[in-house]
Coordinates of all heavy atoms in Angstrom, one line a residue:
I10 N -13.6 78.7 57.7 CA -13.7 79.5 56.5 C -14.8 79.0 55.5 O -15.1 77.8 55.6 CB -12.3 79.7 55.8 CG1 -11.8 78.3 55.3 CG2 -11.3 80.3 56.7 CD1 -10.6 78.5 54.4
G13 N -11.8 78.1 50.4 CA -10.3 78.4 50.4 C -9.5 77.1 50.7 O -10.0 76.0 50.5
T14 N -8.3 77.4 51.3 CA -7.4 76.3 51.6 C -7.0 76.3 53.1 O -6.7 77.4 53.6 CB -6.1 76.4 50.8 OG1 -6.5 76.5 49.4 CG2 -5.2 75.2 50.9
V15 N -7.1 75.2 53.8 CA -6.5 75.2 55.2 C -5.4 74.2 55.1 O -5.5 73.0 54.7 CB -7.6 74.6 56.2 CG1 -7.0 74.5 57.6 CG2 -8.8 75.6 56.2
I16 N -4.2 74.7 55.5 CA -3.0 73.8 55.7 C -2.9 73.5 57.2 O -2.7 74.4 58.0 CB -1.8 74.5 55.1 CG1 -2.0 75.1 53.7 CG2 -0.6 73.5 55.1 CD1 -0.9 76.0 53.2
D17 N -3.1 72.3 57.5 CA -3.2 71.9 58.9 C -2.0 71.0 59.2 O -1.3 70.5 58.3 CB -4.5 71.1 59.1 CG -4.9 71.1 60.6 OD1 -4.1 71.5 61.5 OD2 -6.0 70.6 60.8
H18 N -1.7 70.7 60.5 CA -0.7 69.8 60.9 C 0.7 70.3 60.4 O 1.6 69.4 60.1 CB -0.9 68.4 60.5 CG -2.3 67.9 60.9 ND1 -2.5 67.6 62.2 CD2 -3.4 67.7 60.2 CE1 -3.8 67.2 62.3 NE2 -4.4 67.2 61.1
I19 N 0.9 71.6 60.4 CA 2.2 72.1 60.0 C 3.1 72.0 61.2 O 2.7 72.2 62.3 CB 2.1 73.6 59.6 CG1 1.2 73.8 58.4 CG2 3.4 74.2 59.4 CD1 0.8 75.2 58.1
A24 N 4.9 78.1 60.2 CA 3.9 78.6 59.4 C 4.4 79.8 58.6 O 4.0 80.0 57.4 CB 2.7 79.1 60.2
I27 N 6.3 78.8 55.6 CA 5.4 78.3 54.6 C 4.8 79.4 53.7 O 4.7 79.3 52.5 CB 4.4 77.3 55.2 CG1 5.1 76.1 55.5 CG2 3.2 77.1 54.3 CD1 4.4 75.0 56.2
L28 N 4.3 80.4 54.4 CA 3.8 81.6 53.7 C 4.8 82.2 52.8 O 4.5 82.6 51.7 CB 3.3 82.6 54.7 CG 2.0 82.2 55.4 CD1 1.6 83.2 56.5 CD2 0.8 82.0 54.4
L31 N 5.1 80.1 49.7 CA 4.0 80.2 48.9 C 3.8 81.6 48.3 O 2.9 81.9 47.5 CB 2.7 79.8 49.6 CG 2.6 78.4 50.1 CD1 1.4 78.1 50.9 CD2 2.6 77.4 48.9
L33 N 2.8 84.3 50.0 CA 1.6 84.8 50.5 C 1.8 85.6 51.8 O 2.8 85.3 52.5 CB 0.6 83.7 50.8 CG 0.0 83.0 49.6 CD1 -0.7 81.8 50.1 CD2 -0.8 83.9 48.8
T42 N -5.2 83.6 57.8 CA -5.1 83.4 59.3 C -4.0 82.4 59.6 O -3.9 81.4 59.0 CB -6.4 82.9 59.8 OG1 -7.5 83.5 59.1 CG2 -6.6 83.1 61.3
A44 N -2.2 80.4 62.9 CA -2.2 80.0 64.3 C -0.9 79.2 64.5 O -0.5 78.3 63.7 CB -3.4 79.1 64.6
K55 N 1.3 72.3 66.8 CA 1.3 72.4 65.4 C 1.0 73.9 65.0 O 0.5 74.7 65.9 CB 0.3 71.5 64.8 CG -1.2 71.9 65.1 CD -2.2 71.0 64.4 CE -3.6 71.4 64.8 NZ -4.7 70.7 64.1
D56 N 1.1 74.2 63.7 CA 0.7 75.5 63.2 C -0.4 75.2 62.2 O -0.5 74.1 61.6 CB 1.8 76.2 62.4 CG 2.9 76.8 63.4 OD1 2.8 76.5 64.6 OD2 3.8 77.5 62.9
I57 N -1.3 76.2 62.0 CA -2.3 76.1 61.0 C -2.3 77.4 60.1 O -2.2 78.5 60.7 CB -3.7 76.0 61.6 CG1 -3.8 74.8 62.6 CG2 -4.8 75.8 60.6 CD1 -5.0 74.8 63.5
V58 N -2.5 77.2 58.8 CA -2.7 78.4 58.0 C -4.0 78.3 57.2 O -4.2 77.3 56.6 CB -1.5 78.5 57.0 CG1 -1.7 79.6 55.9 CG2 -0.2 78.8 57.7
K59 N -4.8 79.3 57.2 CA -6.0 79.4 56.5 C -6.0 80.5 55.5 O -5.7 81.6 55.8 CB -7.2 79.6 57.4 CG -7.3 78.5 58.5 CD -8.7 78.5 59.2 CE -8.7 77.4 60.3 NZ -10.0 77.3 60.9
I60 N -6.2 80.1 54.2 CA -6.2 81.1 53.1 C -7.5 81.1 52.5 O -8.0 80.2 51.8 CB -5.1 80.7 52.1 CG1 -3.7 80.5 52.8 CG2 -5.0 81.7 51.0 CD1 -2.9 79.4 52.3
I65 N -5.2 76.5 46.7 CA -3.7 76.4 46.3 C -3.5 75.1 45.6 O -4.0 74.0 46.1 CB -2.8 76.5 47.6 CG1 -3.3 77.8 48.3 CG2 -1.4 76.5 47.2 CD1 -2.3 78.9 48.4
L70 N 1.9 73.3 46.7 CA 1.9 72.9 48.1 C 2.9 71.9 48.5 O 3.5 71.9 49.5 CB 0.5 72.4 48.5 CG -0.5 73.6 48.7 CD1 -1.9 73.0 48.8 CD2 -0.2 74.3 50.0
I73 N 6.3 72.6 50.1 CA 6.4 72.9 51.5 C 6.7 71.7 52.3 O 7.0 71.7 53.5 CB 5.2 73.6 52.1 CG1 4.0 72.7 52.3 CG2 4.8 74.9 51.3 CD1 2.8 73.4 53.0
A77 N 7.5 71.0 56.3 CA 6.4 70.6 57.0 C 5.9 69.2 56.5 O 4.8 69.1 55.9 CB 5.2 71.6 57.0
K79 N 4.4 66.7 57.6 CA 3.2 66.1 58.0 C 1.9 66.9 57.7 O 0.8 66.6 58.2 CB 3.2 65.8 59.6 CG 4.3 64.8 59.9 CD 4.0 64.2 61.3 CE 5.0 63.1 61.5 NZ 5.7 63.3 62.8
A80 N 2.1 68.0 57.0 CA 1.0 68.9 56.7 C -0.1 68.2 55.9 O 0.2 67.3 55.1 CB 1.5 70.1 56.0
T81 N -1.3 68.7 56.2 CA -2.5 68.2 55.4 C -3.1 69.4 54.7 O -3.2 70.5 55.3 CB -3.6 67.5 56.2 OG1 -3.5 67.9 57.6 CG2 -3.6 66.1 56.1
I82 N -3.6 69.2 53.5 CA -4.2 70.3 52.7 C -5.7 70.0 52.7 O -6.1 68.9 52.3 CB -3.7 70.2 51.3 CG1 -2.1 70.2 51.3 CG2 -4.2 71.4 50.5 CD1 -1.6 69.7 50.0
N83 N -6.4 70.9 53.1 CA -7.9 70.8 53.1 C -8.5 71.9 52.2 O -8.2 73.1 52.4 CB -8.5 71.0 54.5 CG -8.0 70.0 55.5 OD1 -8.5 68.9 55.6 ND2 -7.0 70.4 56.2
I84 N -9.2 71.5 51.1 CA -9.8 72.4 50.3 C -11.3 72.6 50.8 O -12.0 71.6 51.0 CB -9.8 72.0 48.8 CG1 -8.4 71.7 48.3 CG2 -10.6 73.0 47.9 CD1 -7.5 73.0 48.2
I96 N 0.6 66.0 52.2 CA 1.6 66.6 51.4 C 2.7 65.6 51.0 O 3.0 64.7 51.8 CB 2.3 67.8 52.1 CG1 1.3 69.0 51.9 CG2 3.7 68.1 51.7 CD1 1.8 70.2 52.6

Side-chain angles (χ1 to χ4, degrees):
I10 63 171
T14 307
V15 175
I16 312 171
D17 199 353
H18 306 288
I19 298 169
I27 285 176
L28 288 173
L31 297 175
L33 289 173
T42 321
K55 67 172 180 181
D56 287 6
I57 307 168
V58 170
K59 300 190 182 190
I60 303 142
I65 309 247
L70 282 166
I73 74 175
K79 294 197 175 130
T81 20
I82 308 157
N83 300 274
I84 302 296
I96 279 180

